[in-house]
Amino acid sequence: MHRVVVVLEHKIYVYNFADLKLVDHIETIKNPAGLCALCPYASNTVLVCPGLQKGHVRVELYDMKKTTIIPAHETSLACFALNHDGTRLATASEKGTLIRTYDTATGNLLQELRRGADRAEIYSICFSPNTQWLAVSSNHGTIHIFKLNEKGKAIQQDSKAKDAPQKEEAPNLKVEDPSKANPKSSFSFMKGILPKYFSSEWSYAQCKIPDSRTIVAFGPSNSIIAVSADGNFYKATFDPEKPGSECKFVARNKIVKKPEEEES
């Protein structure tokens, strides 16, 4: 179904694209950044917006006629994103230290990922097309790439299986190789005793961008693409076999020049 969504500071209006008939209106907490996410998947109409309480996310599953409220963070929301088929949601708060992923249908927490220990402003979150990776950019100038666990990927596979009735068997969950998972602290075995920081999952790969304000997306063949507010374009690749590695730049271009740069 095609929709037109209008986001205001305290309300969201959803219209049918064909005749602009009002389909839904949602009240939200104060939303000056206009936070809202839509699923591009044709057979799954999902809308995500802030709830009525600080840190809460509201998930509208229109095809299922279901609303899920997720208490994602204790502080205000800064950024969130859906995967391609709307089965997974990633959120970040204004603190910017943790990224959490959820099942949109149940609201269950699937994974908690640590960007860092210092406060940061999250500019963008992006799932890879196969929901295997998650990329996050912030004002610290580093793009973090996280590996998503098999439990979360199975959700997307399940939704695809529904569109293919001939496949009767549910997807099997593989046992993840610890050497190819997100890095953890050497004290992670003391989970539940030490503070949560010591049991956190850290980024699988990092990419340091000279510009601080960027949005990030995934490209083909284990690559990421970043575009900065300064008009720069970056493309870098990461090694899916080496946790904790640095990305390698393969392209850098200036796509928007300042007036003084054009004159010179």
Side-chain angles (χ1 to χ4, degrees):
M1 296 183 180
H2 299 289
R3 298 282 189 262
V4 175
V5 178
V6 179
V7 183
L8 304 179
E9 192 168 19
H10 289 95
K11 283 189 177 182
I12 291 178
Y13 293 92
V14 183
Y15 299 90
N16 185 43
F17 184 81
D19 54 12
L20 294 182
K21 181 180 178 181
L22 182 64
V23 176
D24 194 9
H25 70 279
I26 304 167
E27 292 188 7
T28 69
I29 196 170
K30 189 176 181 180
N31 183 20
L35 296 178
C36 185
L38 301 170
C39 170
Y41 206 55
S43 60
N44 193 22
T45 308
V46 182
L47 180 147
V48 178
C49 64
L52 288 170
Q53 297 183 54
K54 183 172 63 176
H56 285 209
V57 181
R58 176 171 177 156
V59 182
E60 290 293 337
L61 303 156
Y62 286 108
D63 296 330
M64 298 172 62
K65 297 181 179 179
K66 179 181 178 181
T67 300
T68 304
I69 304 296
I70 302 173
H73 300 274
E74 293 181 358
T75 56
S76 298
L77 297 167
C79 190
F80 51 71
L82 286 165
N83 68 340
H84 179 71
D85 63 5
T87 56
R88 293 192 69 178
L89 169 70
T91 68
S93 74
E94 62 184 6
K95 288 179 66 177
T97 54
L98 293 173
I99 312 297
R100 295 187 173 116
T101 63
Y102 296 91
D103 174 359
T104 55
T106 65
N108 292 338
L109 175 65
L110 299 175
Q111 212 165 349
E112 187 173 87
L113 310 164
R114 182 168 290 277
R115 182 211 55 81
D118 298 327
R119 192 182 187 93
E121 185 177 354
I122 303 298
Y123 291 139
S124 70
I125 300 174
C126 181
F127 285 91
S128 64
N130 61 3
T131 315
Q132 185 177 1
W133 305 96
L134 186 78
V136 179
S137 66
S138 73
N139 65 335
H140 284 208
T142 300
I143 294 173
H144 293 267
I145 302 167
F146 299 93
K147 188 173 186 178
L148 300 176
N149 58 30
E150 293 292 335
K151 179 181 178 182
K153 283 187 283 182
I155 295 171
Q156 189 185 48
Q157 292 166 357
D158 255 342
S159 68
K160 290 180 179 178
K162 292 175 183 177
D163 295 336
Q166 69 275 14
K167 296 182 180 180
E168 297 180 359
E169 295 183 4
N172 294 322
L173 292 182
K174 299 178 182 178
V175 177
E176 191 170 31
D177 183 354
S179 66
K180 295 180 181 179
N182 293 318
K184 294 184 179 181
S185 166
S186 57
F187 294 100
S188 60
F189 69 94
M190 299 183 71
K191 183 178 181 179
I193 300 173
L194 293 176
K196 287 177 67 178
Y197 175 88
F198 291 97
S199 59
S200 297
E201 291 187 48
W202 296 80
S203 53
Y204 195 92
Q206 303 86 38
C207 183
K208 294 183 179 179
I209 303 289
D211 308 353
S212 61
R213 192 177 184 90
T214 60
I215 56 173
V216 63
F218 283 90
S221 304
N222 300 313
S223 66
I224 58 167
I225 295 169
V227 178
S228 76
D230 292 332
N232 295 313
F233 167 92
Y234 301 92
K235 183 178 181 180
T237 59
F238 63 94
D239 190 337
E241 302 297 322
K242 292 184 179 180
S245 60
E246 287 284 339
C247 294
K248 295 181 179 179
F249 285 103
V250 294
R252 303 186 191 191
N253 292 297
K254 187 77 172 179
I255 54 177
V256 178
K257 292 184 178 181
K258 297 177 182 178
E260 58 268 25
E261 292 175 329
E262 291 180 348
E263 291 175 2
S264 61

